Structure formats: structure tokens, C-alpha cells
Amino acid sequence: MTERRAKRRLMNEINVVPYIDVMLVLLVIFMITAPLISPGQIELPQIGKSLTPPVAPLEVIIKADGSLRLHDRATSGGEQKVSRTELVEAIKRKQAQNAEQAVVIAADKSVRYEEVTNVMDILQQQQVKKVGLLARPKS
């Protein structure tokens, strides 16, 4: 009977040596790699600087027939039909006034995605900054 008690006692013990080995290896790895990681820079706002409100983006609309329209959300004006060269000129003019001016591209559901990428490509070639896609949720 004493042998059974001895076996039960041995089964209750957990060998933690492998866990300690793994922990020490991980500790060494973190100690070596921590000085190599460069911390990112955080730009904090300066005291006394007033935050400017975000500017409403310019909306480039691609219709089903492939025509382009430009809608300036900052003004109450409606959509105006533009060619590809007029589009780039109007966007550059707006971004010259405000460097933070964003541009979003909205396309009709039936427009091929190739048309959207062509417009994005034209804007990127002309160094237009802050270009995004506008997605509307299903109603």
C-alpha cells in the first residue's frame, strides 16, 4: 500500500524545469532585441497652436457612361462635369490653397473598377496627395 501512495505523490508533481528554460531563452532574446528596436516619433501638438478643423474632401464621381464630375463638399455648389485634365487642374488648385485637401473617388455601381484605377493613376502621376475611395453602404 505504501508503494501506491508513493506513485500517487509522484504523479501530482509537475516538472517546471522546461518552462523555466523556455522563459530564460525568451528573456535573453528580448534583452538582445530591445535595444535594436528604434522607437517611433510622436508629434505632439504645440501649446498655443489652434487646431484647424478638417477640410471636407473633394469628391470625384465617375458616372456609368465614364464621364467625370467634381463635387466640392466644402461649398454648397453641386457637381460640375469636368474632363480629366480639368479635374487635375481643379484638384491642384484646391490643394495649392490648402495642403490638407483630401480627394475621394466615388463610382457608379456599374462602372468597371479599371476606370476607377485609371483615375487614381492619373491623380498619382500628377502628384495629387491624399487620394482615397468613397464607399457608400447599401441602403
Side-chain angles (χ1 to χ4, degrees):
M1 207 159 252
T2 57
E3 290 179 28
R4 285 187 176 174
R5 287 186 184 171
K7 285 184 180 179
R8 284 187 187 166
R9 201 175 301 145
L10 289 176
M11 290 178 70
N12 290 338
E13 293 179 13
I14 298 175
N15 187 7
V16 294
V17 173
Y19 300 117
I20 294 172
D21 290 343
V22 170
M23 181 200 61
L24 290 175
V25 168
L26 288 174
L27 180 66
V28 169
I29 290 171
F30 288 136
M31 287 174 57
I32 291 172
T33 58
L36 302 177
I37 298 173
S38 61
Q41 290 184 342
I42 299 174
E43 294 181 20
L44 298 174
Q46 301 292 326
I47 297 176
K49 266 191 176 177
S50 64
L51 295 175
T52 57
V55 179
L58 290 172
E59 187 175 343
V60 178
I61 303 165
I62 306 172
K63 294 291 185 179
D65 60 356
S67 64
L68 298 176
R69 300 195 186 284
L70 183 63
H71 180 237
D72 189 359
R73 292 183 171 193
T75 63
S76 58
E79 301 172 359
Q80 54 181 328
K81 189 172 183 176
V82 291
S83 67
R84 294 180 190 274
T85 56
E86 291 172 341
L87 173 72
V88 172
E89 291 171 5
I91 291 174
K92 283 199 168 223
R93 200 170 35 247
K94 279 295 221 180
Q95 284 190 340
Q97 293 172 359
N98 185 359
E100 297 298 314
Q101 179 71 56
V103 179
V104 292
I105 300 172
D108 195 75
K109 188 166 66 169
S110 61
V111 172
R112 293 185 54 164
Y113 198 70
E114 181 181 2
E115 290 294 323
V116 176
T117 56
N118 286 341
V119 172
M120 287 179 70
D121 189 39
I122 290 169
L123 295 177
Q124 285 180 344
Q125 287 175 358
Q126 298 297 323
Q127 282 82 32
V128 173
K129 300 174 187 91
K130 294 192 175 190
V131 178
L133 296 175
L134 179 66
R136 292 191 177 119
K138 289 184 178 181
S139 303

